[in-house]
Every structure is written in C-alpha cells, then in structure tokens.
Amino acid sequence: MALWLVLVLLPVLVLWLWPRGPLRLRLLLEDARFSLQAARLKRSVQGWLRQGALSLPGLFQLQLRSRPDSVFLRYRDESVTYRQLEAQSNRAARALLSCGRLPPGAPVALLLGNEPRFLAAWFSVYKLRLVAAFLNTNVRRGALTHCLQTCGARGLITSPELLDAVLEILPELQDMEITVWVMGPGQFPPGVINLHNLMEEASENPLPCETETPINLLDTAICIFTSGTTGLPKAARISHLKTLMCCAFYHLCGGCSDDVIYMSLPLYHKSGALLGVGGCIGIGASLVLKERFSASQFWSDCRRYEVTIFQYIGELCRYLTNQPQNEDECRHKVRLAAGSGLRPDVWKEFSRRFGKIKIFETYGMTEFNITFLNYTGNPGAVGRGTFLYKRFCPFELIRYDTQQGEPIRDGAGRCHRTSTGLCSLVYILPLFAVLRSLQTLVCVCAGETGLLISPVTPTSPFLGYVGSRELSEKKLLRDVFQLGDCYFNTGDLMMQDDLGYVYFRDRTGDTFRWKGENVATTEVSEIMSALDGFQEVNVYGVSIPGHEGRTGMAAVTLRPGHQLDLEQVFSHVKEFLPPYARPRFLRVMDHMESTGTFKQQKHRLVQEGFSPEHIQDPLYLLDEAACTYRPLTEDLYNRIMTSDLRL
C-alpha cells in the first residue's frame, strides 16, 4: 500500500515542483499562514457572539463599553467619539418611537449621504428592532418609488440636502402610507416630520428594548439595493450574522486599533457600510468619513487626518494615478489599501508612484457569502482558490455558454467543472481523503474561464431579495453536480491558474460596471423606451481604453414618422437616470436584430463598439456641457481612444 502511494504521489510531486518549486513552496506557506489567521478570526467572532454582539450595531455596543471616549468618527472638522454617536442614536431612536411604534422587522429606508447622521439613523433603527434599507442617493422619481415599494418601507429617513428628491414623490409616499422624517434642521412642508426637533427634546439614555436580541442570527438585519441582470434595483437581504462577519474585514487585512481608516465610498453600498464602517468597528479603530471621493484632495486629507488605511474600488486608484504629481502623495502614513476591482496596470503604477503601500485586493457579493482575498499581493488576481481556502469559502467554476447565457449541462442535466490548474500541493495533501478524481491530481493546464458558483447550505444560506421569490430563484442553480444540490450563481466569469490564483474575467447577463456602480441594462432600456420616438432600445456596455469596466451605449430604432430629438433624449436620461447609468453613446439603427426566441442580440453590437469608421449607422456622444448628444466624429473617436477626451 505504501509503495503504491509513493508511486502515485512522486510523479505528481515532480510536476508540482518543476519549474517553479520555490514559488510554490512560498505560496504554500502563505496559504497555511492565512488559514491559521482565518481560524483565529473565527474564534474571535465566536467570542463576540458569546459577549452578546449579535449584529454589527451590537459589536459597536461591545466596543463602546471598552473605549467610550475614543474617537470613532472624523467628519470635516468634527470628531465623534463612540459615546457621542451612541447618544445621538439613542436620541434618534426615542424620537422615532415618539411617532408611534412600528412592528418588529418593519423596514425603514435611509436616504442619507456620507455623514454621521447615516450611522445614527442606522443604529437607531436597529435599537427599535426594525430593518434599515439603504437607498442609493442617486436614484430619483420612478426608481426611488420602486425601491421603497420593493422593500415594503414603512418609513423614510432623509436629510435636508436630499429632501427635494423625496418631495418629488411625496404624494405617492403618502398613498403608500410611508412616514417621512427629515434628520436635520429646517422648515419642512406638511406631511414631513422634523426628526431633528424631536431629537433635541429626546433623552440620550438607552432604550429598554435594547436588552432584546434578534430572534435568529439569520434574520434580516438590513437591506442593500443591488442592480443585477433582472432590471430595476433589488433589495438584498443581509443577515445579522453577515453584518457581524463583515466586521472581521480589517482583521484579515492586517488592521489594528491604532489605525485611521479613510472612507470615501458611499455608505449605501456593502463596501462602505459593512466592510468600511463594520471593519473599523471590528478592530476598534477611527474612521475618517468623506462626503464623496475627491482625487485632488485625497493625499492632503491623508496627511491632515494621519490616515494609515484607505478603502478603494478600482476606479478610485486610477483617478489617483491620473492626477498631477504633488508633494503630499509621498508624505503620508498610509500603509494599506484594501478594496476590489484594481487592474494590474493601475496596481503597478500605484505601487511605483505612491510609496510602500500594501494592496489587499478582494472580491465579494452583497447578497451571498462568497469571498476571495488576495493575501499574497499578486497584481490582477482577486484571491486564491486552494484546497485550504475552499475549506474557508467553498466555490466551483463551471463551464458556461456565453452565447446562450447559461451553464453547459450534459445529457443527464449536470454541469461540469472547468479545467483548472490544480497542481498546488494543497490539492495533493488531501489525497488520502479525496482520492475521488485522479484527473484532479494530474491536471496541469493553466485553467479555463468558467461561471463562479458557491453552494447554498444551512450555514451559508441565500436569504434572497425582498418581495420577489422569482428574482431570488433566478440566482440559484439546482441539480448542478447531483440531484438535489443547490448553488448560488454569482453571474461572474472567473479563471483559476496553475498556481491557484483566481482572476475575474467578465460579468454575465445584462449588467456591466461603470464608475464603480453596477448598471442594469434592462432598467436603462425600459427608461429610454419611455420616449415616444423610440421603437426599440438595446443597451449594452462597451470597453474604452484607460477606463475601468464598460460604459453604456444604446442602440435604438425610431418609430415611423418620428424624428430624432437629441436635446429631448438628453433631458430624458438626465432626469430619470443617475450619472453613471446614462448611455455615453447612441447608435440609431434601421432595424434591431433578435434571436429566434425574440431576445435582442447584444453580442455583435458589443463587438462592433462605437467606431464611426466601421459603423455606418449615425453615432452620437453624450455632451453634458451642451445638454445634448452630438455627432460622434472620427476626431472625437480618436481623442476618446487616446484618452485625450475623458468620459
């Protein structure tokens, strides 16, 4: 038996060691170190639970007891301690309660910007055992009404700065019996409650109901809206346990209580609220909160607040590298940048230019517990997918038909894993337990692109979207490898190489990413189709050199007898779409191709791009300065392709 085992393992070990043996050994040690770190962190989270911290705001309470007068938040020239934020949230909770008690679990929407009031409102809603629904501050009118209807909001908390967006739909909100509170000073019209005045009169003492605990760790704690392949924004349910697990983010990144974290990402996103705020609470650090990102002010802010960590998306780092050099960019204390979506070329330029800053690239989903962590710092990879890591976060890559837009299944209806480079020793070590596939051991290919999926289990459930079982079901794949199994479909195409690194390749479906935001083409098409002159609208994303993600392009056909009114098109998209979702390019076609099942063809349009030299149809470019779409000339096209004209 022993001789047989040696004969099997020896060739595999030789293949594994040659020709990059030292690198593989180093990665093996890194994988083992990270696994031990993850195991220690799991015990830390269990310790939080034993001490009664059953959600992110609950962990804030735990930190409050040990560091009440430590600065938790720095906003503009204001410093807010743990104790002060607790007092403000207590007053907000009592003010809300004075307007009548809502039933436990009732949703209350937050339409607030990056400011301390967002956190006070969020924590106050938690104290009343209600569910906070975070609204994108860019949505307006129909999309805003849709979000409130979708999550079943019973109340809406906003600020004086964003009140105009609410007043546009106030009659609809009154019809839906949604109570509107404004968290800030001012005079407001009838039908709007001044929460600021009520807070001034309220006590800052804790509420008695704070002694209650969530019924279950898997109960919904908050709702975060996410755009997907199914159209309008969907309210993803986030459990109490997931909010708590996100608080471990900066532990994994190497943060500590002495760090000062810079946060300019929007708090209505998971990255800002759960990883940024929650991660800061998890290590007991201080958070610098910025209303919005400013590339020109970034490094001066870092010096002013003595920032040591900042959180990014890929676009943010590119904006920094595009800025003119200044003395502040190398005279700072930043040691760690954590985030997602950083392209290899930007990564290398960022590291070269801004000093010894460790980059910790990650990947995650708002609605499900799948995560990758690039703890070895390999530019371009989102993380590692070794056997040890799969014990921490299980996943699979399956073969996917990009033309049909669905996984490839065999005659028995089962999916197949992609060919991946599984030659790492961490796949060889468990041979004794998983001798189920000799092919897995001898596979030495670099890996093929496949659809990323992850098993849905009692310990890793998919809570779905609020109010739509159909939308939730569309995110699930059933009977994938065997009858009765169930996997979450991320909608992302990934590739794993022979060293175990996982790389993001593309997004499936009708969603693309621009300016750090997901854009659902179905939603944009529906809004543009509301124009009387358009008969068909097909929206898709096109790549542009020097830009992250893809920008929007709309191919349209005109109704008979209608003329194209470019000023009207501009006014329509400006009124009903947030800036990142507005199509930058417009293509006017005679007819629109469709499949045999009457689905619009996008693939060919994407391949053709927006070159006026190769496309005979009229092309137009969004011109926000002139408030119109103007003809896309060869000169404009060349300026875009050489990054002389930024979009």
Side-chain angles (χ1 to χ4, degrees):
M1 179 65 181
L3 179 60
W4 177 86
L5 195 60
V6 169
L7 292 176
V8 171
L9 285 179
L10 187 59
V12 178
L13 186 60
V14 171
L15 285 173
W16 179 77
L17 286 173
W18 181 85
R20 292 184 285 181
L23 174 60
R24 295 184 189 278
L25 289 173
R26 181 180 66 79
L27 291 176
L28 176 60
L29 294 176
E30 289 279 359
D31 294 336
R33 181 195 62 78
F34 179 81
S35 298
L36 291 175
Q37 183 183 1
R40 288 194 297 268
L41 185 57
K42 182 178 180 180
R43 290 193 293 270
S44 297
V45 174
Q46 291 171 343
W48 294 343
L49 294 171
R50 285 193 298 269
Q51 296 178 72
L54 303 181
S55 193
L56 185 153
L59 183 59
F60 179 85
Q61 296 287 322
L62 194 62
Q63 294 286 18
L64 171 69
R65 293 198 290 269
S66 62
R67 58 185 78 242
D69 297 314
S70 296
V71 174
F72 170 62
L73 202 64
R74 299 188 68 180
Y75 177 75
R76 297 178 180 172
D77 295 324
E78 178 184 3
S79 294
V80 182
T81 66
Y82 281 81
R83 189 196 304 274
Q84 289 169 334
L85 182 57
E86 169 71 0
Q88 189 178 8
S89 63
N90 284 337
R91 287 194 295 269
R94 289 183 177 275
L96 293 172
L97 192 60
S98 69
C99 300
R101 181 182 289 273
L102 293 173
V108 174
L110 307 185
L111 185 65
L112 296 164
N114 278 25
E115 54 178 320
R117 287 181 294 198
F118 185 104
L119 300 182
W122 175 12
F123 293 175
S124 69
V125 168
Y126 171 81
K127 292 173 188 292
L128 298 174
R129 296 304 182 258
L130 305 173
V131 174
F134 300 164
L135 297 177
N136 187 322
T137 54
N138 292 301
V139 296
R140 295 292 184 271
R141 295 195 176 182
L144 181 55
T145 304
H146 164 82
C147 291
L148 294 166
Q149 288 175 330
T150 299
C151 69
R154 299 287 298 275
L156 169 63
I157 303 175
T158 189
S159 64
E161 295 79 9
L162 293 170
L163 180 59
D164 285 345
V166 177
L167 294 180
E168 291 178 347
I169 60 170
L170 187 58
E172 292 96 314
L173 300 186
Q174 292 172 338
D175 290 341
M176 291 187 287
E177 298 183 345
I178 296 177
T179 304
V180 178
W181 294 281
V182 180
M183 201 172 186
Q187 298 296 321
F188 310 120
V192 176
I193 299 175
N194 191 323
L195 190 63
H196 175 80
N197 289 347
L198 296 177
M199 289 175 61
E200 290 291 305
E201 301 170 359
S203 168
E204 63 181 39
N205 294 326
L207 291 172
C209 68
E210 276 194 344
T211 57
E212 301 175 10
T213 58
I215 297 174
N216 192 305
L217 284 172
L218 298 181
D219 284 347
T220 302
I222 59 175
C223 294
I224 295 180
F225 283 87
T226 174
S227 295
T229 59
T230 51
L232 288 166
K234 305 181 295 293
R237 300 178 186 268
I238 311 297
S239 69
H240 292 283
L241 181 59
K242 178 161 184 174
T243 68
L244 194 64
M245 293 298 294
C246 287
C247 294
F249 177 64
Y250 283 119
H251 276 284
L252 289 171
C253 296
C256 65
S257 60
D258 294 330
D259 279 312
V260 177
I261 301 169
Y262 188 86
M263 173 54 58
S264 58
L265 307 182
L267 294 182
Y268 56 74
H269 273 180
K270 171 196 169 186
S271 296
L274 300 186
L275 300 182
V277 175
C280 179
I281 293 172
I283 59 176
S286 296
L287 186 77
V288 177
L289 189 60
K290 185 79 171 177
E291 298 99 316
R292 61 185 59 84
F293 172 72
S294 169
S296 61
Q297 299 174 12
F298 180 82
W299 293 114
S300 60
D301 280 348
C302 288
R303 289 197 64 196
R304 174 186 178 188
Y305 296 110
E306 298 186 315
V307 171
T308 58
I309 298 176
F310 77 88
Q311 196 169 330
Y312 68 85
I313 56 173
E315 285 286 278
L316 187 151
C317 293
R318 182 176 64 81
Y319 294 150
L320 292 177
T321 58
N322 286 340
Q323 285 289 300
Q325 291 189 350
N326 66 79
E327 60 180 14
D328 287 334
E329 66 182 43
C330 291
R331 298 169 56 190
H332 56 77
K333 297 182 178 180
V334 178
R335 65 177 184 84
L336 174 67
S340 59
L342 188 58
R343 293 190 326 189
D345 57 333
V346 178
W347 185 320
K348 294 172 183 176
E349 173 63 15
F350 183 93
S351 298
R352 181 197 66 80
R353 179 169 164 182
F354 300 126
K356 295 182 179 180
I357 300 176
K358 178 183 178 181
I359 295 176
F360 199 96
E361 175 76 1
T362 66
Y363 168 91
M365 302 290 294
T366 299
E367 56 268 75
F368 194 69
N369 301 324
I370 182 168
T371 303
F372 288 109
L373 302 166
N374 187 352
Y375 47 84
T376 61
N378 180 36
V382 297
R384 294 187 47 74
T386 63
F387 173 83
L388 291 174
Y389 191 81
K390 280 193 169 185
R391 300 293 297 269
F392 169 71
C393 182
F395 73 93
E396 299 288 350
L397 297 179
I398 60 174
R399 287 175 174 155
Y400 184 82
D401 188 329
T402 55
Q403 295 293 328
Q404 296 297 322
E406 58 187 29
I408 298 173
R409 293 181 182 261
D410 59 21
R414 302 293 177 259
C415 299
H416 291 270
R417 296 174 177 87
T418 60
S419 299
T420 55
L422 300 180
C423 303
S424 174
L425 187 58
V426 291
Y427 288 94
I428 300 171
L429 290 176
L431 174 66
F432 313 103
V434 292
L435 198 56
R436 63 185 183 274
S437 175
L438 190 60
Q439 178 187 2
T440 298
L441 293 174
V442 300
C443 176
V444 294
C445 57
E448 66 177 288
T449 298
L451 178 66
L452 175 66
I453 62 175
S454 182
V456 178
T457 66
T459 56
S460 183
F462 172 50
L463 299 187
Y465 303 106
V466 177
S468 179
R469 182 177 179 84
E470 180 183 357
L471 291 178
S472 301
E473 186 63 29
K474 286 182 178 180
K475 294 297 293 183
L476 299 177
L477 294 175
R478 300 186 183 276
D479 305 329
V480 177
F481 301 116
Q482 60 186 23
L483 188 65
D485 65 11
C486 182
Y487 283 76
F488 178 81
N489 179 2
T490 66
D492 288 334
L493 299 176
M494 301 286 204
M495 185 275 287
Q496 184 175 356
D497 69 10
D498 65 328
L499 291 175
Y501 285 109
V502 178
Y503 298 84
F504 174 84
R505 284 293 178 254
D506 203 357
R507 303 185 72 87
T508 65
D510 296 331
T511 298
F512 59 90
R513 197 165 181 84
W514 179 249
K515 301 295 185 183
E517 299 278 356
N518 288 340
V519 180
T521 58
T522 305
E523 177 188 357
V524 179
S525 296
E526 289 175 353
I527 290 174
M528 294 191 68
S529 296
L531 279 168
D532 292 337
F534 289 163
Q535 181 166 289
E536 289 185 274
V537 179
N538 191 354
V539 176
Y540 48 97
V542 292
S543 299
I544 299 177
H547 289 74
E548 303 286 347
R550 291 177 287 167
T551 191
M553 183 168 183
V556 303
T557 59
L558 300 178
R559 296 183 185 278
H562 283 75
Q563 299 294 321
L564 181 63
D565 187 336
L566 296 172
E567 286 77 16
Q568 182 189 29
V569 176
F570 175 86
S571 298
H572 186 77
V573 299
K574 182 179 181 182
E575 181 176 5
F576 293 102
L577 290 171
Y580 62 83
R582 297 168 189 165
R584 263 47 184 184
F585 301 103
L586 192 65
R587 176 176 179 177
V588 182
M589 306 178 67
D590 292 328
H591 67 279
M592 197 81 66
E593 290 188 6
S594 61
T595 66
T597 54
F598 306 105
K599 294 181 180 179
Q600 291 179 332
Q601 288 274 22
K602 294 182 184 288
H603 183 72
R604 184 179 65 82
L605 295 175
V606 172
Q607 294 298 315
E608 290 176 350
F610 56 96
S611 170
E613 180 180 357
H614 299 103
I615 298 174
Q616 301 304 313
D617 299 321
L619 297 173
Y620 301 92
L621 172 67
L622 179 70
D623 188 338
E624 293 185 329
C627 297
T628 188
Y629 280 82
R630 59 170 166 164
L632 179 62
T633 63
E634 281 286 346
D635 178 65
L636 286 175
Y637 173 79
N638 292 331
R639 290 175 59 194
I640 293 171
M641 298 302 289
T642 58
S643 299
D644 186 40
L645 178 63
R646 308 297 296 178
L647 299 181

